[in-house]
Amino acid sequence: MWEILQTYWLYYLIGQYPDGPLGGLSLTLALAALALVLALPVGIVLALCRLSPYRLLRWPVTAVVYVVRGTPLLMVVFWAYFLLPTLTGHTTDQFNTMLAALVIFDGAYLAEIIRAGIQGIPKGQMESARSLGFDYLRAMRLVILPQALRNMLPSLVNQFVSTIKETSLGYIISLGEVSFVATQINTQLLTRPAEVYLLLGLTYFVLCFSLSRFAFWLERRLAAGAAHPGTR
Amino acid sequence: MNSFDVSLLLSGQYHDWLVSGFALSIKLALITLVIALPLALLVAVLRLAPLAVLRAVGVVFVEAIRNVPLLAHMLFWYFGAPEVLPEPLKAWLYERDVEAASAVIALVLYTAAYMSEDIRSGIRSIPKEQMEASRALGFSFLGAMRLVILPQALRLTVPPLISQTLNLWKNTSIAMVIGVAELMYQAQQVESASFRGFESFAFATGAYLTISLAITGASAWYHHHHPVRSA
């Protein structure tokens, strides 16, 4: 396993870059980070619609969230791969296809996290913000969301872990992320699949385990802060 | 693209492919569920065992599996693991359905790791005096677990287990990467053979959604009939 890393580490980390597109582990991380950042506003809008008093907003968005959450991500990826070129008129590359699928999928999951986060803020906060003269959207933006998002930080880190794992599905549409690169290394070596895929598993493990520990630490820290507001 | 051709989905060769894929997906999910549940229970009890070594085994199992994507598990169990087996065993395995076997192993381990965490938090929500009282009455750890703690804990664990079953159902789709002819695989086969992607993906999406919504419905039903009571 060590020799494999010694030979292929650069390829494993950045793919063919700079002679080709960025790939490998860097692409996995870039894709996951970008997907989460873009999915966050989507999730906020969907969550606000799901909490809206207007049925016209609430019902369709609830249906969309249920449909996306009841469908495998792979299905969303296939739809994106198949429909995006039909809709936009020009072909979409694998990176943007995967990014679109992840933003839709994560947006629906984040919507539920954010909805719970907003519902966790005492109702008095909205009422006092409104009575101070804020309109609904400003009260949401300036009073509710900053508190809700802060409480949700550990969940967001965990969602980042899920997103890193989800990027592996880019493999299916030949996106050169780390699973795909591992498979290419395996094809070149031919005789050592157990080591190559163990290495792949270890890579994901180190990333995701450390991130989820960080989420755990954050959760405890925030809980401690909430228990002793003065120590924040 | 021409208009939506329903006949493709109602009869003929492509219809047969899709339906057989759907059946295989359901079979994969059921087989995995039947094996994963007892394994999850075992791991959950390990994580709460009085011996530190046993607890460590449980933690390593759960963390090592949950922090690696299912796709990487599939690749490892299909391409990697059989290679390190001794020759006769390997030959025996390759005569059989090695794709499906690898998929089931990956799905069982992945599902069991998640379910064991749900069961564990169910067990932990039972006040610890229950265990202490049972032990004081002369039950062994396992006896107390089986007769006092688990019957109460498992009832609380049903809703999260149902939502893990939903995840399992969606996760069966990843078996296509190692060539298991389940629903997603067949949908893609139909798409590449007939260029009727819209129809075949619509069929697959509808099929996934039907089962998913049924599972969600089961969860709502359970919630209605067994509301959470505070202990």
Side-chain angles (χ1 to χ4, degrees):
Chain A
M1 201 149 81
W2 197 233
E3 306 123 68
I4 297 177
L5 258 188
Q6 276 181 326
T7 321
Y8 289 103
W9 66 274
L10 196 61
Y11 183 48
Y12 195 71
L13 284 183
I14 59 171
Q16 292 165 329
Y17 192 79
D19 303 321
L22 184 69
L25 195 55
S26 328
L27 185 68
T28 292
L29 285 173
L31 181 59
L34 197 56
L36 192 68
V37 167
L38 293 180
L40 198 58
V42 175
I44 291 176
V45 170
L46 293 181
L48 289 181
C49 289
R50 285 214 14 140
L51 290 169
S52 154
Y54 305 110
R55 279 182 216 155
L56 211 60
L57 283 177
R58 200 170 66 229
W59 285 1
V61 169
T62 305
V64 167
V65 169
Y66 267 88
V67 166
V68 174
R69 288 171 60 99
T71 318
L73 174 58
L74 202 45
M75 198 80 245
V76 182
V77 174
F78 274 10
W79 276 117
Y81 201 58
F82 178 73
L83 271 186
L84 278 182
T86 322
L87 289 177
T88 58
H90 44 84
T91 50
T92 316
D93 61 12
Q94 284 102 337
F95 182 84
N96 286 310
T97 305
M98 196 62 207
L99 186 62
L102 281 173
V103 168
I104 296 167
F105 199 72
D106 276 0
Y109 278 82
L110 281 176
E112 295 300 279
I113 297 177
I114 295 167
R115 185 170 70 108
I118 293 175
Q119 283 176 329
I121 303 296
K123 253 171 53 192
Q125 296 274 337
M126 179 53 103
E127 287 162 6
S128 25
R130 293 302 295 273
S131 66
L132 284 171
F134 287 100
D135 62 37
Y136 174 82
L137 282 180
R138 278 174 66 84
M140 199 44 107
R141 186 164 61 85
L142 296 169
V143 180
I144 307 294
L145 279 179
Q147 301 183 70
L149 289 174
R150 185 183 160 280
N151 288 342
M152 281 161 15
L153 268 179
S155 308
L156 289 179
V157 178
N158 276 328
Q159 189 64 30
F160 188 49
V161 173
S162 308
T163 312
I164 290 176
K165 296 199 312 180
E166 283 158 5
T167 58
S168 66
L169 295 192
Y171 172 93
I172 286 147
I173 54 170
S174 312
L175 173 68
E177 44 70 57
V178 72
S179 306
F180 190 76
V181 161
T183 303
Q184 302 224 297
I185 293 174
N186 180 42
T187 322
Q188 285 179 30
L189 286 168
L190 224 58
T191 49
R192 302 159 73 181
E195 288 167 74
V196 171
Y197 289 118
L198 207 57
L199 184 68
L200 178 66
L202 272 174
T203 310
Y204 279 116
F205 176 79
V206 169
L207 263 180
C208 298
F209 183 72
S210 42
L211 269 169
S212 66
R213 286 291 106 173
F214 173 65
F216 185 64
W217 174 84
L218 208 58
E219 194 167 357
R220 280 204 310 196
R221 218 184 108 95
L222 289 175
H228 310 282
T231 60
R232 254 178 220 173
Chain B
M1 200 174 68
N2 300 325
S3 57
F4 193 88
D5 181 10
V6 187
S7 66
L8 180 119
L9 304 178
L10 295 180
S11 60
Q13 181 196 15
Y14 298 136
H15 162 85
D16 296 344
W17 288 6
L18 289 168
V19 170
S20 78
F22 189 29
L24 185 59
S25 285
I26 294 178
K27 216 157 100 182
L28 270 181
L30 286 179
I31 293 173
T32 303
L33 192 63
V34 168
I35 310 174
L37 268 177
L39 181 60
L41 192 60
L42 176 74
V43 174
V45 173
L46 272 183
R47 289 205 60 175
L48 297 164
L51 277 177
V53 187
L54 295 179
R55 285 200 301 273
V57 171
V59 173
V60 170
F61 177 87
V62 170
E63 295 297 344
I65 286 173
R66 282 204 314 178
N67 287 302
V68 174
L70 181 58
L71 185 110
H73 283 285
M74 292 266 177
L75 295 176
F76 176 78
W77 289 107
Y78 180 60
F79 292 110
E83 290 302 317
V84 292
L85 289 175
E87 209 51 53
L89 202 60
K90 209 159 90 179
W92 179 85
L93 190 67
Y94 278 113
E95 277 170 27
R96 279 153 190 82
D97 193 352
V98 62
E99 287 89 6
S102 314
V104 167
I105 293 174
L107 280 168
V108 161
L109 293 177
Y110 200 74
T111 308
Y114 278 92
M115 285 185 164
S116 77
E117 286 296 276
D118 292 331
I119 298 175
R120 186 174 71 107
S121 59
I123 296 176
R124 274 163 52 106
S125 69
I126 305 297
K128 69 175 193 304
E129 289 80 7
Q130 298 260 347
M131 177 56 100
E132 287 164 4
S134 327
R135 295 304 294 272
L137 285 169
F139 285 101
S140 64
F141 173 80
L142 284 179
M145 214 26 135
R146 187 166 63 85
L147 295 168
V148 180
I149 308 293
L150 283 180
Q152 305 179 70
L154 289 182
R155 222 179 47 202
L156 295 174
T157 315
V158 170
L161 285 185
I162 292 179
S163 80
Q164 283 311 334
T165 309
L166 174 58
N167 284 336
L168 163 63
W169 167 243
K170 295 190 290 174
N171 282 338
T172 58
S173 65
I174 296 176
M176 79 164 286
V177 296
I178 55 172
V180 179
E182 44 70 73
L183 182 55
M184 193 68 80
Y185 180 90
Q186 296 289 24
Q188 210 199 17
Q189 291 292 104
V190 170
E191 198 265 334
S192 52
S194 66
F195 298 107
R196 310 295 306 200
F198 196 76
E199 286 86 348
S200 72
F201 292 159
F203 180 95
T205 307
Y208 278 115
L209 266 184
T210 309
I211 303 287
S212 294
L213 293 177
I215 295 173
T216 314
S219 170
W221 179 88
Y222 184 87
H223 214 73
H224 184 73
H225 286 268
H226 304 272
V228 179
R229 278 174 290 180
S230 49

